[in-house]
Amino acid sequence: MSDRPHRLPDDVVPHRYDLVLEPDLQQASFDGTVTISVQVQRATDQVVLHALDLEIDGATVRVGDQEHTATVGLDAEHEMATLSLPSVLPVGPAELRLSFRGVLNDQLLGFYRSTFTSVDPATGDATESTLAVTQFESTHARRAFPCFDEPAFKAVFAVTLVVPRDQFVVANTAELERTDVGDGRVRVQFADTISMSTYLVAFVIGPLEATEPRMVEGIDGPIPLRVVYPPGNAHLCGFALDVAEAGLRFYEEYYGLPYPGDKVDLVAVPDFAFGAMENLGCITFREVLLLVDPERSTQPELQRVADVINHELAHMWFGDLVTMSWWNGIWLNEAFATFMEVMATDAFRPDWDVWTTFGLARAAAFDTDTLHATRPIEYEVVTAADAEGMFDILTYEKGASVVRMLEQYLGPKVFRDGIAAYLRRHAYGNTETADLWVALEETSGEPVRRIMDSWIFRGGHPVVRVERVDEHTIGLAQTRASYDDAGDSERWPIPMVLDVGSDGELRQLLDAATTVELAHRPEFVQANVGGAGFYRVELDAELRLALLERGDPGPLERFVLIDDTWAGYLAGRVELAEVVELLVGASATELDPSVWRRLAGACRELVRLSGPDHAAAARGLVASVAVPALARVETAIDAATGTAGVDGSGSDRHGADRSERLREVRGVLFALAGADAADAATRRRARELFQDSTVDATLQAAAIGVVAASATAEEHAVLEAAWRDAATPQDELRYLNALVDTDDPDRFTHTLELSATEVRTQNAPYLLRRAIDHPTLGPVAWDFVADRWDELTERFPSNSLPRMLEGVRGLTDASTAAAVTTFLAEHPTPSGATQITQHLERMEVEVRAAGRTRDELDRSPDVLGAARGS
Ligand code: BES
Ligand code: ZN
């Protein structure tokens, strides 16, 4: 054991837990007993399992009809308990029985307490309510009951909860039986789960309500589907039910296997550290990602809800039915669910064009993966803390992108056949990453494992330079993407899909070869068709022109062009004038919301990089991009809906998808013109619109942001009151974010104070991330975080600290950046060290780009204006 102190020995293996828990919500504590049926594989007089922050009152081991009392030794460092027995347990079945006590903590992990206030609509009285909730991934089941808390120790769980008669309870499986225990409490017994990992066990107890079950027609019969919510939110559940119904059907069809549980409950939890958690049959969510009013939310808010539900449902099979053997495999679990969420949401709402939106996620992954401090997607995980550090953009977004690249290369049908074969083969079991590649090799005949190994065991990604070698030959040279001058000449086996005109679409594994021979002279080379590849492309001048002249790149290809150009600018390889030309040129015709989001992001970053001396000129450039485009889009909305859309009501709700997409673009442009470009007319209009809930929700949301950016004291107070009174979780977050968007240092500081007091700990770290990222007041927010570090890190869930610190990526001022680096070197966080190193390196990239931009603008201030009017 000493060579693997962080792992349990495998001489005793569990296969069933009978767990009884009696939570006391008032006292914030719980009592429990657990009987674990095990198989002793090697004779031993010691049984080691996990337990943390539990008091174990007694432990016995039964073999046949003999019962032995065990002495319990606790190892807090390794979060384990050792049961020592007076005699050796023989090989064969045995039963461990432990009784224990614990505390319902406030850390949002393990078995914890969440609170909410509800207002009685009749009397207006507010009451404070308490819930007991679980969050066990990665390694927190051990805080609720002693268990073999590693994903490969799968077992059946039979859960019984003893709770006050009037409490609502929900767990992984259907309720079997309820018996009165006499003291005002009931014993609620739940059905056996499938054999599954400890991190997927879940239960929630408290004054909640549930929708009527919707019966979803499944392969093996109807699946009861409900949303569970804090009282007062019944009207916000319909959208989630629609998404989940469609998602369940989609996955049964895609995977070719029935849903592995007996029901699905989607539970909204008021205090939740993550976004959502895929507990089998009892999926938990933060409220804003589940409860939504489709009429009053923006498309990105709605899509986020759909994506998250579909993400967690994807895990019911991929993750829950088939599970990684150890935490090094978590990337595949999360990457695959992230990939599938896009597939399922695309099937649910094809008009949303979500694969183009996915371009934004991929772009963010490129950004981090371009740093020297990037990491391989998969690496060895020794301790639990290692595993927690893996939940980042490289796991989710780079992981999902390389899965998408593979799917596009193999073809959707072959890919899906491989997935279905893998799930069938390993159902109820555990796997290594390579097991999936083996299944895909069998269905495709391609060297999947060799290709994928070099994408997942190595950090970074290639830039492919394409040039014409002679009439029928193109040359493809790889270097590693870098924000420094030159990347190393490193090679990846790239599964490419190319379009070369008359030769049509080619699938080519760019491996040892550096040239491709074509039958015809290529008219142009599109070296990343559909933008699905996880590599950047640089064309020589002639090919770039040919590609542009060919006329009709799709939205994702237009997106990629902007994103690649901006990355080139950050790396110092592309001139500012070229960037300006691209922004102005693209904005003249662009109508796709995702492409506009990327353009708006580049505009915003350009203002930031320009610095205070050139801010007016940079805002002028952004106004010249955004204001005419806004006018153009409004005209197009009028044409599409046939109504005068000045008030933004777009009253014809059936005015087709086109006008919905256009309204999204309008929201992006309204915010860009009013907040970033400080356009006076747009700011005036925002003041007419921001309190008017009869206007289109997307426009109203944009107007709130515009008002926030230049709010007077009175307006700021209105926004703050609106945050406190928000009717939906989306409104609450929208107004909360608005409170840090102010450009007034006093009001900004007031909001920072709220983040240390009144703002829920699930939201405050993200609010501070936004504050540190503020284009001008970021350094003020940084000083606040540094001054109050001990208090804040104590208060916030530990997983959120690296996310809070992500805000430093937007700092442009060298002296603040230096202070940040020094401070974080002296104040390490419990996990996420790699992410923080990445944030710091990216911050330096921003600082250098700001320095170059400001120098250039000092020398030639006309660069920003030159393209105007063209
Ligand atoms: N399994 C994760 C939640 C999780 C992450 C638990 C890290 C423990 C540690 C879940 O499936 C997930 O990925 N949730 C995301 C939301 C998702 C839609 C991207 C999250 O919580 O951010
Ligand atoms: Zn996930």
Side-chain angles (χ1 to χ4, degrees):
M1 180 191 158
S2 59
D3 59 327
R4 297 201 319 166
H6 301 279
R7 300 293 297 270
L8 295 178
D10 60 1
D11 41 13
V12 176
V13 176
H15 55 86
R16 179 184 174 88
Y17 293 74
D18 286 279
L19 174 64
V20 181
L21 282 171
E22 308 192 12
D24 182 334
L25 274 54
Q26 258 47 59
Q27 299 299 314
S29 66
F30 59 93
D31 289 358
T33 58
V34 65
T35 305
I36 312 176
S37 310
V38 300
Q39 179 70 22
V40 179
Q41 318 244 56
R42 274 185 299 278
T44 176
D45 59 0
Q46 287 204 328
V47 181
V48 186
L49 72 176
H50 287 106
L52 181 62
D53 294 342
L54 294 176
E55 278 195 53
I56 299 180
D57 296 325
T60 57
V61 179
R62 177 186 287 279
V63 181
D65 52 15
Q66 289 200 341
E67 190 169 85
H68 309 282
T69 302
T71 49
V72 183
L74 293 173
D75 171 358
E77 187 199 339
H78 296 111
E79 308 181 354
M80 291 176 190
T82 301
L83 313 186
S84 302
L85 291 154
S87 58
V88 169
L89 293 174
V91 170
E95 237 178 54
L96 320 179
R97 198 178 153 78
L98 296 103
S99 51
F100 54 91
R101 279 173 297 144
V103 166
L104 296 172
N105 71 70
D106 292 319
Q107 293 300 305
L108 278 53
L109 45 83
F111 197 12
Y112 71 94
R113 207 161 65 118
S114 170
T115 55
F116 61 94
T117 341
S118 41
V119 179
D120 185 323
T123 63
D125 293 346
T127 41
E128 178 85 354
S129 304
T130 304
L131 299 179
V133 193
T134 58
Q135 168 58 45
F136 288 171
E137 195 180 12
S138 304
T139 55
H140 308 300
R142 63 190 68 170
R143 296 169 187 266
F145 60 98
C147 57
F148 295 79
D149 198 10
E150 293 183 2
F153 289 116
K154 285 195 169 187
V156 169
F157 293 85
V159 173
T160 300
L161 299 171
V162 183
V163 297
R165 197 182 295 123
D166 57 356
Q167 294 289 19
F168 184 90
V169 280
V170 59
N172 296 99
T173 48
E175 190 176 312
L176 270 190
E177 210 179 296
R178 209 170 245 257
T179 41
D180 221 304
V181 292
D183 57 357
R185 296 188 304 163
V186 283
R187 261 180 95 78
V188 185
Q189 225 178 307
F190 295 91
D192 286 3
T193 67
I194 62 166
S195 185
M196 66 180 200
S197 305
T198 46
Y199 79 91
L200 296 169
V201 174
F203 28 87
V204 183
I205 303 119
L208 298 176
E209 293 174 3
T211 62
E212 281 302 306
R214 186 182 286 191
M215 291 300 171
V216 177
E217 195 187 313
I219 298 175
D220 283 351
I223 309 161
L225 165 70
R226 301 186 300 177
V227 172
V228 176
Y229 55 90
N233 292 296
H235 61 297
L236 301 178
C237 299
F239 182 74
L241 291 171
D242 291 347
V243 172
E245 172 169 15
L248 282 168
R249 289 168 182 252
F250 175 85
Y251 289 125
E252 285 204 336
E253 161 84 22
Y254 188 94
Y255 295 137
L257 282 172
Y259 170 68
D262 62 359
K263 55 93 179 172
V264 179
D265 285 316
L266 312 173
V267 186
V269 179
D271 296 286
F272 198 78
F274 301 96
M277 176 64 211
E278 70 268 28
N279 315 299
L280 183 67
C282 182
I283 308 176
T284 43
F285 295 79
R286 57 170 64 205
E287 291 173 302
V288 72
L289 298 180
L290 185 65
L291 306 175
V292 65
D293 174 357
E295 296 296 315
R296 293 308 310 153
S297 53
T298 67
Q299 187 277 342
E301 287 165 348
L302 218 48
Q303 185 184 323
R304 185 77 189 133
V305 170
D307 279 345
V308 174
I309 293 171
N310 283 328
H311 177 104
E312 306 310 336
L313 288 175
H315 278 311
M316 299 296 110
W317 291 259
F318 204 104
D320 292 7
L321 179 65
V322 179
T323 313
M324 65 275 155
S325 296
W326 180 242
W327 296 110
N328 63 314
I330 196 67
W331 83 268
L332 184 59
N333 199 19
E334 294 305 343
F336 190 82
T338 302
F339 164 80
M340 283 310 296
E341 99 197 19
V342 188
M343 294 279 268
T345 302
D346 192 35
F348 178 67
R349 286 293 296 267
D351 56 306
W352 281 350
D353 193 16
V354 291
W355 281 112
T356 303
T357 317
F358 182 70
L360 287 160
R362 179 170 33 231
F366 275 142
D367 187 36
T368 291
D369 198 42
T370 303
L371 303 170
H372 297 287
T374 188
R375 61 164 179 88
I377 293 177
E378 181 169 338
Y379 59 83
E380 196 191 348
V381 170
V382 179
T383 68
D386 287 355
E388 304 261 297
M390 270 191 143
F391 290 88
D392 66 0
I393 193 156
L394 297 167
T395 286
Y396 282 83
E397 279 76 22
K398 183 181 178 184
S401 299
V402 301
V403 170
R404 171 68 169 171
M405 173 167 68
L406 180 67
E407 185 234 16
Q408 291 291 292
Y409 177 72
L410 299 181
K413 163 110 179 53
V414 168
F415 182 83
R416 168 177 153 176
D417 289 347
I419 299 300
Y422 164 84
L423 289 174
R424 221 171 304 121
R425 187 175 303 163
H426 299 286
Y428 307 101
N430 293 86
T431 55
E432 304 294 333
T433 299
D435 294 324
L436 180 64
W437 308 148
V438 168
L440 287 164
E441 288 192 347
E442 287 170 12
T443 55
S444 70
E446 296 274 348
V448 174
R449 181 167 183 175
R450 183 171 65 79
I451 297 172
M452 294 309 281
D453 275 357
S454 67
W455 289 90
I456 66 171
F457 289 118
R458 202 153 33 114
H461 59 273
V463 179
V464 180
R465 296 210 166 72
V466 187
E467 55 180 20
R468 202 190 285 281
V469 176
D470 60 39
E471 280 299 281
H472 289 194
T473 313
I474 53 172
L476 302 162
Q478 295 189 34
T479 51
R480 178 173 169 149
S482 162
Y483 284 131
D484 303 337
D485 292 347
D488 302 332
S489 64
E490 221 181 297
R491 309 182 57 78
W492 279 258
I494 308 182
M496 285 183 118
V497 184
L498 299 127
D499 184 356
V500 291
S502 36
D503 269 30
E505 229 169 74
L506 294 178
R507 293 182 325 123
Q508 170 84 32
L509 186 63
L510 180 67
D511 206 346
T514 52
T515 56
V516 179
E517 298 286 333
L518 302 165
H520 304 94
R521 182 177 201 280
E523 288 125 53
F524 58 85
V525 180
Q526 168 50 266
N528 188 358
V529 169
F534 198 76
Y535 51 92
R536 294 194 186 273
V537 174
E538 285 183 10
L539 300 173
D540 72 19
E542 184 222 321
L543 287 172
R544 180 145 100 198
L545 210 62
L547 188 61
L548 288 174
E549 278 172 0
R550 162 217 172 201
D552 195 24
L556 198 43
E557 290 162 2
R558 301 198 299 278
F559 181 104
V560 164
L561 177 66
I562 296 157
D563 192 54
D564 285 357
T565 306
W566 186 260
Y569 182 67
L570 288 179
R573 282 197 307 271
V574 171
E575 296 296 321
L576 183 54
E578 287 179 73
V579 172
V580 172
E581 190 183 358
L582 179 67
L583 294 179
V584 172
S587 70
T589 50
E590 190 57 62
L591 282 175
D592 181 88
S594 298
V595 181
W596 258 117
R597 284 198 180 92
R598 188 65 195 89
L599 279 168
C603 288
R604 207 164 280 141
E605 204 173 342
L606 188 57
V607 174
R608 179 190 295 267
L609 295 180
S610 300
D613 295 348
H614 302 286
R619 283 202 290 267
L621 169 71
V622 175
S624 76
V625 164
V627 175
L630 179 58
R632 198 160 42 79
V633 169
E634 305 220 296
T635 311
I637 291 174
D638 294 347
T641 57
T643 57
V646 215
D647 69 340
S649 67
S651 57
D652 178 8
R653 283 232 158 250
H654 307 287
D657 305 341
R658 193 176 137 71
S659 91
E660 194 181 321
R661 308 278 290 163
L662 289 171
R663 286 204 299 269
E664 272 178 66
V665 176
R666 175 174 61 186
V668 174
L669 289 172
F670 194 92
L672 190 64
D676 303 286
D679 177 60
T682 309
R683 288 190 168 186
R684 274 195 303 279
R685 228 180 112 201
R687 291 186 155 75
E688 289 158 22
L689 297 174
F690 86 109
Q691 294 187 79
D692 180 354
S693 60
T694 65
V695 315
D696 164 76
T698 304
L699 186 59
Q700 194 197 359
I704 291 167
V706 171
V707 171
S710 58
T712 61
E714 295 73 41
E715 285 165 342
H716 202 260
V718 169
L719 294 171
E720 188 173 332
W723 164 57
R724 290 213 173 78
D725 296 348
T728 67
Q730 290 73 28
D731 264 349
E732 182 184 345
L733 203 56
R734 200 180 287 151
Y735 288 114
L736 179 61
N737 284 336
L739 296 181
V740 283
D741 289 352
T742 173
D743 58 2
D744 179 277
D746 292 338
R747 292 189 275 284
F748 188 72
T749 304
H750 168 72
T751 308
L752 297 176
E753 276 304 327
L754 290 177
S755 76
T757 52
E758 202 183 331
V759 177
R760 280 183 190 277
T761 62
Q762 66 163 8
N763 293 332
Y766 304 96
L767 186 69
L768 288 175
R769 171 174 69 186
R770 193 178 177 98
I772 300 170
D773 189 47
H774 189 286
T776 55
L777 297 173
V780 176
W782 169 257
D783 288 344
F784 175 85
V785 168
D787 286 349
R788 308 276 285 266
W789 181 257
D790 292 341
E791 173 194 347
L792 298 176
T793 52
E794 165 84 28
R795 189 170 127 81
F796 298 161
S798 67
N799 72 300
S800 66
L801 298 176
R803 295 183 187 192
M804 172 179 83
L805 293 169
E806 199 180 334
V808 306
R809 289 174 170 229
L811 294 169
T812 53
D813 152 48
S815 71
T816 309
V820 168
T821 305
T822 310
F823 183 89
L824 291 177
E826 289 163 4
H827 297 82
T829 56
S831 65
T834 308
Q835 286 174 66
I836 292 168
T837 311
Q838 291 160 358
H839 299 335
L840 294 176
E841 186 186 340
R842 182 62 177 80
M843 173 181 77
E844 294 301 339
V845 170
E846 196 77 357
V847 170
R848 282 200 302 276
R852 275 199 311 272
T853 306
R854 291 167 197 186
D855 286 350
E856 170 155 14
L857 292 176
D858 289 343
R859 280 194 312 272
S860 32
D862 290 347
V863 182
L864 294 177
R868 249 183 286 170
S870 66

